[in-house]
Amino acid sequence: MGKHRDLLQKSELFVVNSFAVSPYFVDLKPANYIFLDQYFTAYDGKQTPIEAVKKTFEHLATDVSWPITIFMPAKSARNSFHLELKKSNPNINICYYNYVVAKGFKWVKHWLFSHNLAMPQCQNILNACIFIAINRKFKNVYLLGADHSWHEQLIVDNSNDIVITDKHFYNEKGKEIEMKSRAHDPKEYGIHKFFELISKAFYSYLVLRSYADSQGVNIFNSSEKSYIDAFERKSIPNV
């Protein structure tokens, strides 16, 4: 990401999840920040099992010195901690999106999508990020760092627990996560469920590509490494 610094600084950026803990956050000053995961959207400023969630909001509160819009699902609109965050830093604006999943006929889905009444199923935060960018009417949207290579860091140990090393560009060593600990129903969680959920994320990109085409929006995957096959690949030097 550092080698594209000049281009990124001139572009309107969307970032997600714990990007705020990265030194790139203050350097690039992204205009848009997207949350969907309940660990972020339900965080009350007090307790969380994920330290990165706490650190993310600490950085948002103290580091943001430029206008930034934080996008949250509408169900978190009453979260008093988020409202206090907005009050404490006048540079922060919070915008709510309607995460209601629509399925069925394409023309019905696209009408609902275009009126912000529904969205594709967003199994991954990037699904939601792309949807918001489409409805913002950008002509071209470029994806960076969308590896989606979780399966490469996956192991099933001798107790049949599924463990994944969660890696990001700002945390290359990664952190081991026992996936059942984050499952809604740990007893029913297994390798089949892991790949089922990943499949939903990849299918959502096909739905988003179809919707983007209908809206005249081009989505390009400029990630150096990526398993997403729904969008045209275009490297940054050719942008």
Side-chain angles (χ1 to χ4, degrees):
M1 185 171 290
K3 62 184 177 182
H4 303 306
R5 179 173 178 269
D6 291 342
L7 174 63
L8 294 175
Q9 285 184 324
K10 295 185 292 184
S11 305
E12 182 169 348
L13 304 181
F14 288 72
V15 298
V16 302
N17 292 348
S18 292
F19 188 88
V21 306
S22 162
Y24 290 114
F25 180 59
V26 174
D27 185 41
L28 298 177
K29 296 179 172 56
N32 308 279
Y33 210 120
I34 318 296
F35 291 116
L36 176 63
D37 191 294
Q38 65 176 352
Y39 286 110
F40 291 99
T41 61
Y43 180 53
D44 60 2
K46 299 176 182 178
Q47 295 183 347
T48 174
I50 303 177
E51 183 65 19
V53 171
K54 178 182 177 182
K55 291 182 177 179
T56 295
F57 284 101
E58 288 175 349
H59 282 281
L60 284 171
T62 59
D63 294 350
V64 173
S65 59
W66 64 94
I68 188 170
T69 298
I70 299 176
F71 291 85
M72 296 269 195
K75 67 179 181 180
S76 63
R78 295 184 180 180
N79 187 317
S80 59
F81 172 70
H82 298 159
L83 298 177
E84 287 300 320
L85 176 67
K86 179 180 178 181
K87 289 181 180 178
S88 67
N89 190 329
N91 291 301
I92 294 177
N93 179 48
I94 298 180
C95 181
Y96 298 102
Y97 59 90
N98 192 29
Y99 183 48
V100 174
V101 177
K103 299 180 180 180
F105 293 111
K106 182 186 297 186
W107 70 269
V108 175
K109 291 188 298 183
H110 289 184
W111 187 90
L112 292 170
F113 295 167
S114 66
H115 288 78
N116 288 304
L117 296 174
M119 297 173 61
Q121 181 170 2
C122 297
Q123 196 64 43
N124 180 269
I125 183 60
L126 185 57
N127 299 144
C129 189
I130 292 172
F131 176 81
I132 292 170
I134 294 172
N135 276 6
R136 286 278 311 279
K137 305 299 182 183
F138 288 96
K139 181 178 180 180
N140 298 310
V141 176
Y142 300 90
L143 310 181
L144 286 172
D147 294 15
H148 281 36
S149 56
W150 307 288
H151 59 287
E152 293 184 2
Q153 287 84 46
L154 176 72
I155 64 169
V156 179
D157 65 19
N158 291 332
S159 299
N160 280 334
D161 289 327
I162 300 170
V163 180
I164 189 169
T165 303
D166 189 28
K167 294 183 179 181
H168 300 277
F169 70 91
Y170 50 81
N171 181 19
E172 293 184 359
K173 291 184 178 179
K175 179 181 179 180
E176 286 194 352
I177 298 174
E178 202 283 288
M179 297 300 291
K180 288 184 180 180
S181 67
R182 297 190 180 181
H184 293 295
D185 187 353
K187 292 182 179 180
E188 296 298 324
Y189 193 87
I191 194 70
H192 67 289
K193 180 61 68 173
F194 177 84
F195 283 106
E196 176 188 339
L197 297 176
I198 287 180
S199 175
K200 290 180 180 179
F202 283 106
Y203 177 72
S204 181
Y205 294 123
L206 296 176
V207 177
L208 287 163
R209 185 189 67 189
S210 174
Y211 177 53
D213 289 344
S214 74
Q215 300 299 302
V217 177
N218 301 308
I219 311 291
F220 300 109
N221 188 353
S222 299
S223 306
E224 293 185 359
K225 171 184 177 179
S226 180
Y227 282 92
I228 300 173
D229 62 354
F231 308 116
E232 179 183 344
R233 301 297 290 265
K234 179 177 287 190
S235 61
I236 285 293
N238 296 323
V239 170

